[in-house]
Amino acid sequence: MAGIGTRAIHTHNHTMNTGFQFPDGFLLLPEYFTRRAQEDLLRHVREGVRSAPLYRPVMPRTGKPLSVRMSNFGPLGWITSKEGYRYGPHHPVTNKPWPKLPDCLDQLWQKTANWPSPPQACLINYYDEKARLGLHVDADENAADAPIVSVSLGDQALYRLGGPQRNDPTRSLRLSSGDVVVLAGAARHCYHGVDRIYPGTSTLLPKGGRINLTMRVVGKIT
Ligand code: MD6
Ligand code: FE
């Protein structure tokens, strides 16, 4: 694992005629994980999804399936179903507890989150080449100001970051395997999403696609 600072990009605020300013608290650490560390992490993800299989969640109310498949690590997992979004201790299909968060992710949290408590949930998102994730703000956590730390594995993604309002200007970034993104401070309340996956841009996953892991402090479950 490369240390922070060796390749950290402190995304500087320039507007490039787009009216976009990187929000405070947004941090991109390109290739934080070496190839070797990515392979290690992937092994843990594979082990996790053996006991907590990726499932296809559906949108609240409409029941429309998401294109991203999901699972979780940790005491709590983020779940969406026709009943709504929530955090819960059990896999919605197997009803078993989520697998324990791998140590390497715990260490990533300790090095990057600058937050006094450990993450309670780690959402695992799997994107095939056609999957996308619409612009959203993560707002189902009572610990609304705790940062979210995210890791990308596999094919590159076109990630879009906006502001606190849905119609604020946005900026698109390509995320690559091993990259870490931290949303803290103001950035924690900013819209973001994944517009597309670039197939064939990584050899980490033999069948292609992209995995994104996001660690969260949830606070009280309501
Ligand atoms: C993704 N990431 O990269 C989607 N959320 O596939 C997120 O939705 C996200 O990267 C909160 C914090 C960081 C993230
Ligand atoms: Fe998110």
Side-chain angles (χ1 to χ4, degrees):
M1 206 182 290
I4 301 175
T6 54
R7 307 195 43 166
I9 291 185
H10 290 275
T11 43
H12 45 288
N13 274 320
H14 55 149
T15 57
M16 302 209 328
N17 308 320
T18 61
F20 185 84
Q21 288 251 47
F22 274 99
D24 269 2
F26 175 82
L27 181 63
L28 167 62
L29 304 166
E31 287 179 71
Y32 181 92
F33 286 95
T34 62
R35 173 70 184 213
R36 190 88 194 268
Q38 293 169 41
E39 288 165 358
D40 261 15
L41 180 50
L42 179 60
R43 260 195 301 281
H44 289 291
V45 173
R46 289 225 159 94
E47 203 179 303
V49 301
R50 258 206 317 273
S51 74
L54 291 165
Y55 70 98
R56 193 178 296 280
V58 298
M59 295 286 288
R61 292 192 330 275
T62 62
K64 191 177 176 285
L66 271 66
S67 58
V68 176
R69 293 196 295 148
M70 295 183 176
S71 187
N72 290 273
F73 287 122
L76 293 174
W78 186 82
I79 313 162
T80 165
S81 68
K82 285 189 87 159
E83 289 71 49
Y85 304 126
R86 65 191 179 282
Y87 281 92
H90 300 125
H91 190 290
V93 178
T94 65
N95 289 312
K96 290 200 299 187
W98 303 106
K100 182 185 162 313
L101 186 75
D103 287 341
C104 54
L105 288 178
D106 206 56
Q107 283 162 20
L108 171 66
W109 177 268
Q110 288 179 37
K111 292 200 171 95
T112 58
N114 190 24
W115 193 257
S117 59
Q120 291 163 282
C122 176
L123 176 63
I124 306 169
N125 284 340
Y126 174 75
Y127 299 75
D128 65 19
E129 60 183 57
K130 295 222 174 75
R132 302 177 313 109
L133 187 64
L135 272 188
H136 66 276
V137 174
D138 294 80
D140 300 319
E141 300 76 26
N142 267 311
D145 292 322
I148 296 183
V149 175
S150 122
V151 190
S152 296
L153 293 174
D155 284 334
Q156 292 178 348
L158 188 62
Y159 185 86
R160 187 200 289 263
L161 178 67
Q165 306 294 324
R166 186 176 279 282
N167 58 4
D168 285 337
T170 64
R171 168 81 187 266
S172 293
L173 318 164
R174 243 188 217 238
L175 295 183
S176 298
S177 197
D179 289 359
V180 167
V181 167
V182 181
L183 297 190
R188 176 69 177 75
H189 307 287
C190 289
Y191 276 88
H192 57 277
V194 173
D195 289 335
R196 64 163 296 192
I197 300 298
Y198 296 95
T201 50
S202 164
T203 55
L204 187 72
L205 306 182
K207 293 180 187 154
R210 171 173 181 266
I211 294 168
N212 180 258
L213 303 153
T214 43
M215 285 182 278
R216 298 104 188 282
V217 178
V218 178
K220 264 217 190 76
I221 335 184
T222 44

